[in-house]
Amino acid sequence: MSAFLDRLPPVRGKILADELIAPFTWFRVGGAADALLLPKDEDDLAAFLAALDPIIPVTVLGAASNVIVRDGGIAGVVVRLGPAFGKVATDGLRVTAGAAALDSRVSVAAANAGIAGMEFFSGVPGTIGGALRMNAGCYGRETKDVLVEARALTRNGERVRLSNADFHFSYRHTEAPEGLIFVEAVFEGTPDEPAAILERIEALKARRETTQPIREKTGGSTFANPDPPGTPNQRSSWKLVDEAGMRGARRGGAQVSELHCNFLLNTGEATAADIEGLGEDVRAAVKARSGVELRWEIKRIGRPAVDATVEGYLAKDA
Ligand SMILES: Cc1cc2nc3c(=O)[nH]c(=O)nc-3n(C[C@H](O)[C@H](O)[C@H](O)COP(=O)(O)OP(=O)(O)OC[C@H]3O[C@@H](n4cnc5c(N)ncnc54)[C@H](O)[C@@H]3O)c2cc1C
């Protein structure tokens, strides 16, 4: 694979060949990236992207709390943003956060500065980059409610600025062009006493501890709720999964959580194919029971393992 590294432009940060991604994903599954790029700073990343052969795919990952990385790994370059992209600063009622900053850090920084409205970020175990891509949220608040604007790099390394409206946010989804790498976001809240905001953050954390398997190898909510928040008689994915009899269902080392049946778990030795396959089993069972086609909220990225393809399967039998 070092021949692949030879095709990549030089960087001031680091590029690692054939680097395993699983250890830093929440599910702890998945193959290697052809190359993992850890850019030194924004200029380094922009120059790399500008000089990179346009046919080489680029994938950016944050805390990898919303992805299943398939067993065959990820083609091309995977970008992980480091400390230079993790700064958080407050000014009046605004918070400026680098895309690698953890959402929980942003909520606490806002609270300490007396900025309310970002408490929900404390319940999302991802980065700001992932929150922008996913319109992350919980308990009735979402990224779209607090975002002013974001800065990003295009696949060609150009710098662009997006207003809140440019995202066309919907439930756990945005229409921001695929391929953008978000580097920074500005959020705005409302004034309140820091102690009161911190208290709400603690209450929110306590609520999650008892209702979600947050210490497991998981990807959070697997399927988006079929109806957006606010819809009368809103249907929940977890209820549909439960009614289809899939609570606790297993495939290989993967299991539907008993505690919250919209969460899939790696019980120890699961492959990405086990987890994704179990998700498809759940979708089929829900479709058969209630006619609803659940939409994956978790992103599934990368190549299946060779022996998960038809060719591999036939080769194994030969
Ligand atoms: C226990 C648990 C609980 C969870 N609870 C919630 C919840 O309550 N609400 C909720 O909304 N989500 C929840 N999630 C899902 C997840 O935390 C969110 O979707 C989060 O926003 C993902 O952020 P991330 O940094 O981990 O992104 P990743 O999982 O790394 O990536 C997700 C997507 O974002 C893209 N992305 C990441 N960084 C960037 C960037 N800098 N620029 C462009 N694209 C980028 C990736 O390419 C990918 O498409 C939960 C997950 C777990 C494991």
Side-chain angles (χ1 to χ4, degrees), residues 26 59-67 81 99-100 103 120 123-139 172 178-183 208 212-216 218-221 263 297 299 301:
W26 267 69
T59 305
V60 59
L61 287 177
S65 63
N66 200 56
V67 289
L81 305 178
D103 299 346
F120 73 93
V124 183
T127 62
I128 290 302
L132 293 171
R133 173 52 65 199
M134 301 302 307
N135 188 19
C138 55
Y139 304 130
R172 300 293 174 268
E178 289 292 336
L180 287 182
I181 299 184
F182 299 114
V183 291
R208 294 181 80 82
Q212 297 183 357
I214 56 174
R215 306 202 181 281
E216 305 278 350
T218 180
S221 293
F263 279 48
E297 181 173 322
K299 306 268 185 196
I301 58 175

Side-chain angles (χ1 to χ4, degrees), residues 5-43:
L5 286 196
D6 291 344
R7 292 182 60 189
L8 304 181
V11 285
R12 284 181 287 113
K14 270 193 198 156
I15 305 187
L16 307 165
D18 276 329
E19 190 69 10
L20 268 184
I21 300 295
F24 68 77
T25 70
W26 267 69
F27 271 124
R28 301 285 192 277
V29 296
D34 290 345
L36 176 68
L37 167 64
L38 309 167
K40 183 98 178 153
D41 53 33
E42 194 178 317
D43 287 345

